[in-house]
């Protein structure tokens, strides 16, 4: 494993899971946030300092503004909510995303109409493509948006190989992300094709949500079971 | 297995797969079509009589108009294309669907904009719900729209248990469909909940299509692999 300088934009469950695990694996990780001091002192309803508590368990992970995190990074992870992703990537700065692999984990969930959320883009466009259009020089790869954060970084806990997916227009960037996915323990990665295939991966979310509701939890992933009629099998 | 009188609306690959297998299993199956004589004499580009050839291999399956097929049935299967489903169910006759289980396999694919198709309903509504609203007394259950027709009826060919789903507002109707799915060899059936959950199962299709494109074939299905954090496990 070659250590990379990685910026993880977003301090929520996805950001924490990805940043913590990539740091454990030896990468030089900086979490990006709007206001680092506010993030450090943020408390939940019970008065617990939430990010600070996580930071104590992950002392190797740095915290910086979106812009500072992206500026110093070789690879940028969008671990922010879909509804704020475009704004956060603007704050990171177009010039700091140029020529870098941008791993986009976000989902275009619209929570404004209640639960279950709808998608604010779908079918003839995707959030990944919106991000790519906003930052044409970034090398956007959609991946890991199809499963819960704990399984993004520890798929082996399911006790069985399951499947993840990559979409992107830049073959080299996809290869880099597939390498990272391998470090995280993902051994079955389907390359869906160009970035427009992220429309499929993002439209999975409404189904994922209904399955999670039925199962009473998000601790599941899909395995794509191939039959003999599949041509491009592994 | 209690034999049922089943109408299968649609003469395409889904209709043929479902009708043929249910007849093999001992059910009394009638395929519904717009014009039975036209269906019997229809040829493909090479002049081959397509339905007639299939009919020869499945002599026990009757052929009738949509209306006659539905009139005589205990259970109706919508195996038609999504774009014609509402029209075909109207032809079957609302009174012939009343109080019957209506297994809806269709997908709301809009092929008018090229490939891959888009969905003509999604996110805040579904084709299953449109069908239910058009036929309020039918007991609509969405199922089997998530995999290719050959695997609907022979999932064991994958060599491994995979997952199918049911959505519907009528618990008894869902139980009947789960029973049929079991006869077809489906041992892992997730009950997603009420019929609105069909929005999720239908939005799977754009993802399914991209996976099929990547794999070079439709001979695959998903297995929902559950971890210890799932509450409603089997």
């Amino acid at each position: 494993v070659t250590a990379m300088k990685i910026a993880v934009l977003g301090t929520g469950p996805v950001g924490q899971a990805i940043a913590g695990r990539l740091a454990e694996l030896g990468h030089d990780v900086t979490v990006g946030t709007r206001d680092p001091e506010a993030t450090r002192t943020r408390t939940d309803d019970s008065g617990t300092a939430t990010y600070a508590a996580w930071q104590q368990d992950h002392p190797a992970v740095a915290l910086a503004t979106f812009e500072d995190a992206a500026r110093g990074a070789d690879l940028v992870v969008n671990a922010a909510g879909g509804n704020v992703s475009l704004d956060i990537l603007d704050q990171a700065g177009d010039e700091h995303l140029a020529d870098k692999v941008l791993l986009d984990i976000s989902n275009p969930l619209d929570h404004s109409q209640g639960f279950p959320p709808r998608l604010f883009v779908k079918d003839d466009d995707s959030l990944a493509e919106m991000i790519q259009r906003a930052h044409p020089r970034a090398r956007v790869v959609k991946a890991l948006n199809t499963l819960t954060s704990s399984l993004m970084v520890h798929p082996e806990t399911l006790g069985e190989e399951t499947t993840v997916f990559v979409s992107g227009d830049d073959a080299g960037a996809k290869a880099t992300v597939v390498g990272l996915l391998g470090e995280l323990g993902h051994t079955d990665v389907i390359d869906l094709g160009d970035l427009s295939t992220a429309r499929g991966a993002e439209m999975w979310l409404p189904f994922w949500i209904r399955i999670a509701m039925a199962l009473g939890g998000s601790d599941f992933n899909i395995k794509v079971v191939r039959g003999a009629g599949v041509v491009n099998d592994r």
Side-chain angles (χ1 to χ4, degrees), chain A:
Chain A
V1 172
T2 308
M4 285 189 284
K5 296 178 75 171
I6 298 176
V8 178
L9 309 184
T11 59
V14 175
Q16 291 184 8
I18 295 287
R21 184 67 184 136
L22 290 178
E24 277 181 6
L25 290 167
H27 295 288
D28 179 0
V29 179
T30 300
V31 168
T33 188
R34 200 172 301 265
D35 177 342
E37 189 51 30
T39 295
R40 282 193 191 91
T41 55
R42 193 176 56 208
T43 58
D44 65 17
D45 291 345
S46 68
T48 306
T50 51
Y51 190 86
W54 181 85
Q55 178 77 80
Q56 281 204 315
D57 292 335
H58 300 83
V61 177
L63 185 68
T65 63
F66 292 124
E67 185 174 16
D68 287 343
R71 179 187 290 114
D74 306 319
L75 181 149
V76 177
V77 179
N78 176 30
N83 57 328
V84 294
S85 287
L86 286 166
D87 173 47
I88 282 173
L89 290 165
D90 274 344
Q91 289 187 50
D94 187 56
E95 67 274 31
H96 304 312
L97 301 174
D99 305 321
K100 294 178 184 172
V101 176
L102 174 51
L103 166 55
D104 173 34
I105 310 182
S106 66
N107 277 300
L109 299 178
D110 170 11
H111 294 278
S112 70
Q113 308 294 313
F115 189 86
R118 300 176 185 181
L119 301 185
F120 62 77
V121 59
K122 62 231 161 200
D123 215 21
D124 59 356
D125 196 5
S126 63
L127 182 52
E129 291 167 280
M130 293 173 74
I131 290 171
Q132 182 70 82
R133 289 197 300 274
H135 303 285
R137 294 169 62 201
R139 304 162 69 198
V140 178
V141 178
K142 190 91 198 187
L144 291 181
N145 68 302
T146 56
L147 73 175
T148 198
S149 55
S150 57
L151 295 175
M152 293 178 191
V153 299
H154 282 296
E156 76 284 357
T157 61
L158 287 174
E160 181 171 355
E161 182 183 59
T162 58
T163 308
V164 291
F165 308 86
V166 292
S167 303
D169 294 333
D170 183 313
K174 278 199 285 195
T176 298
V177 169
V178 171
L180 266 186
L181 294 176
E183 293 179 42
L184 295 171
H186 294 285
T187 51
D188 183 26
V189 183
I190 293 181
D191 183 347
L192 295 171
D194 69 26
L195 197 60
S196 77
T197 62
R199 299 173 193 179
E202 294 179 5
M203 288 177 82
W204 159 248
L205 256 285
F207 199 21
W208 182 91
I209 289 168
R210 269 74 175 198
I211 296 170
M213 291 167 68
L215 295 180
S218 59
D219 188 26
F220 70 92
N221 191 26
I222 53 171
K223 174 180 188 173
V224 174
V225 179
R226 286 84 148 172
V230 155
V231 175
N232 301 326
D233 205 357
R234 292 174 289 171

